[in-house]
Amino acid sequence: MTQAEEFITLYYQEKELEGAETRKKEIAEEIEFTGTYTHTYEELEFGAKVAWRNSNRCIGRLFWKTLKVIDKRQVSTADEVFESLLEHIEYASNGGKIRSALTVFKASPKTEPQTIRIWNPQLIRYAGYRQQNGTLLGDPALAAFTQVCKNLGWKSDTTAFDVLPIVIQIGKSTPTFYSIPASYILEVPIEHPRFSWFQALGLRWHAVPIISNMVLEIGGIHYQAAPFNGWYMLNEIASRNFGDTTRYNMLPQIAQRMGLDTKANLWQDRALLELNEAVLYSYQKRGISLVDHHTASDQFMHFVNAERKHGREVNADWAWITPPLSASATQVFHQEWANKVVSPNFYYDFPAWQPNDDLMMQQAKQCPFHIYQ
Ligand code: ARG
């Protein structure tokens, strides 16, 4: 009730609406009779947008008002959820001119066992396979989840870029997995504007990042299935997904093709720059929205100023806002922010497929970015 009241106060204030007290009374009654309450579409839309505005780790928040909120609270079967997710993918992809969207499914209170859970961390991700000889094929970050899919009966070609199925669970029932039809998945083969050998590395990435494992909290209501997307920032794909030693680990191969001496200094930096240029070039060539880190940093500074004009101080997680490549050449590097978590917001939850032990619970309870229900 307290959280609901705080949210309603915020909503009526920011929207400059009359009638907050009446709405609060109505909610109080609904809570008394049913143990929970239902957001109007307008409340939901506002709440989701503000949750994005409040996401301390997101550099792309300048565009928070443009979020398209798709209300799928009436949906209840796994088939319907999957269909809604395909609609989301299609709307967001938009032939490459990516649109930010969030699809919200019903929030089930603990007492009602029909909780909708999407097991995937993102709707579109590449499988990772631990091979006999101990090496990894594909995305190592997804190795555990890939095994979960295989245990459910999913079969694949076993390449470095197999799109994982979407795993949907309703209540306590066994989850169902669905393969995304290839026509829905916009992908970009990576090539370099000058190095003709680059294409032969066989790199590709998907156009749209759609986070599906975070809980959207608005006014005390936890929406456990509320997948959302923006568009990519260059470094996420090039520096991290391809560059990290614990991910596709491409720097040694690129350095070798470039003829760099990996015993000399700075070979990683040279390889990283070319990798970033290749990803930027390939996305631009195909007309897929993607922002580089310098532009993203400028946009974030605009966001901070725009928020200040509205009397709001931005909270931000410096380590996440600062890009991994050429950090100090961007303005965000030179700033300091409070990292306070305010509601509405998005939180991490335990993966539905992972047995959570006491230690994990303890750690989650201490982490402001986690939700423990
Ligand atoms: N870093 C994640 C990835 O590489 C995506 C996180 C969300 N990013 C975004 N631009 N909305 O897939």
Side-chain angles (χ1 to χ4, degrees):
M1 190 59 224
T2 316
Q3 288 170 294
E5 276 178 1
E6 275 170 16
F7 171 67
I8 294 300
T9 305
L10 182 77
Y11 172 66
Y12 278 78
Q13 259 173 15
E14 277 196 33
K15 292 276 188 181
E16 298 180 351
L17 297 170
E18 303 282 327
E21 291 316 309
T22 317
R23 178 64 180 133
K24 283 181 200 170
K25 270 206 201 90
E26 192 179 271
I27 289 173
E29 274 167 28
E30 198 181 338
I31 293 178
E32 197 174 323
F33 286 115
T34 70
T36 184
Y37 74 103
T38 316
H39 289 128
T40 64
Y41 175 75
E42 289 73 21
E43 289 164 358
L44 191 64
E45 184 185 42
F46 172 79
K49 288 180 178 185
V50 176
W52 182 7
R53 187 176 86 196
N54 287 338
S55 290
N56 293 9
R57 294 176 164 183
C58 177
I59 194 173
R61 288 183 268 167
L62 177 62
F63 303 99
W64 67 274
K65 278 186 194 155
T66 66
L67 184 70
K68 164 88 170 176
V69 179
I70 306 166
D71 186 2
K72 290 285 179 181
R73 286 177 296 174
Q74 76 282 9
V75 154
S76 56
T77 68
D79 284 1
E80 289 171 322
V81 172
F82 179 62
E83 213 171 284
S84 309
L85 297 177
L86 288 184
E87 280 171 34
H88 184 130
I89 293 173
E90 192 165 43
Y91 175 87
S93 306
N94 192 29
K97 217 181 152 4
I98 295 168
R99 299 183 280 208
S100 300
L102 176 140
T103 297
V104 59
F105 295 98
K106 69 177 175 201
S108 298
K110 276 215 142 159
T111 45
E112 203 224 301
Q114 291 310 306
T115 317
I116 297 171
R117 297 252 351 217
I118 300 163
W119 283 19
N120 310 53
Q122 285 189 32
L123 296 187
I124 302 170
R125 289 261 94 170
Y126 299 114
Y129 308 96
R130 217 170 291 287
Q131 293 177 302
Q132 299 278 308
N133 63 4
T135 61
L136 258 143
L137 178 69
D139 194 342
L142 275 296
F145 182 68
T146 301
Q147 194 52 52
V148 169
C149 295
K150 287 174 91 172
N151 293 347
L152 289 169
W154 179 64
K155 303 239 176 339
S156 68
D157 303 339
T158 318
T159 75
F161 295 98
D162 295 334
V163 174
L164 285 159
I166 297 185
V167 181
I168 299 163
Q169 184 182 30
I170 311 290
K172 296 232 180 304
S173 64
T174 312
T176 320
F177 66 87
Y178 299 83
S179 292
I180 308 171
S183 60
Y184 280 87
I185 304 165
L186 205 52
E187 280 182 297
V188 184
I190 309 299
E191 55 184 309
H192 192 281
R194 293 178 308 280
F195 301 155
S196 55
W197 49 261
F198 207 99
Q199 229 172 337
L201 294 171
L203 293 178
R204 55 199 292 117
W205 204 255
H206 53 94
V208 197
I210 313 171
I211 309 288
S212 49
N213 63 349
M214 293 187 86
V215 180
L216 166 62
E217 184 272 323
I218 303 172
I221 303 288
H222 295 170
Y223 295 99
Q224 285 190 302
F228 61 88
N229 76 281
W231 48 85
Y232 265 115
M233 181 172 85
L234 172 59
N235 293 176
E236 299 186 87
I237 306 169
S239 303
R240 306 297 313 281
N241 301 348
F242 290 153
D244 276 14
T245 51
T246 54
R247 299 292 297 287
Y248 279 80
N249 190 25
M250 293 306 296
L251 298 188
Q253 279 181 64
I254 293 169
Q256 195 214 343
R257 299 263 196 161
M258 286 172 71
L260 298 176
D261 177 3
T262 54
K263 293 201 182 56
N265 292 327
L266 302 184
W267 65 269
Q268 298 95 332
D269 307 68
R270 292 184 210 283
L272 257 175
L273 183 59
E274 298 306 337
L275 178 52
N276 273 267
E277 190 173 350
V279 172
L280 182 62
Y281 173 77
S282 308
Y283 272 65
Q284 282 180 346
K285 185 173 167 182
R286 281 168 186 73
I288 313 281
S289 313
L290 174 109
V291 66
D292 72 84
H293 43 300
H294 302 284
T295 310
S297 165
D298 290 346
Q299 290 170 345
F300 189 74
M301 296 311 295
H302 277 299
F303 167 67
V304 172
N305 290 332
E307 285 299 289
R308 244 174 229 155
K309 281 205 188 98
H310 284 98
R312 295 188 291 261
E313 243 349 92
V314 165
N315 285 289
D317 189 340
W318 189 95
W320 276 63
I321 298 295
T322 302
L325 186 73
S326 309
S328 61
T330 66
Q331 267 196 72
V332 291
F333 178 90
H334 306 276
Q335 313 295 317
E336 274 186 53
W337 297 285
N339 191 14
K340 204 177 123 198
V341 178
V342 263
S343 172
N345 219 313
F346 293 100
Y347 296 90
Y348 297 121
D349 197 357
F350 294 108
W353 45 272
Q354 213 170 62
N356 36 59
D357 56 41
D358 288 347
L359 182 67
M360 276 171 64
M361 296 277 191
Q362 287 305 325
Q363 285 170 344
K365 275 184 192 164
Q366 285 158 21
C367 171
F369 296 102
H370 264 83
I371 204 154
Y372 169 66
Q373 317 177 67

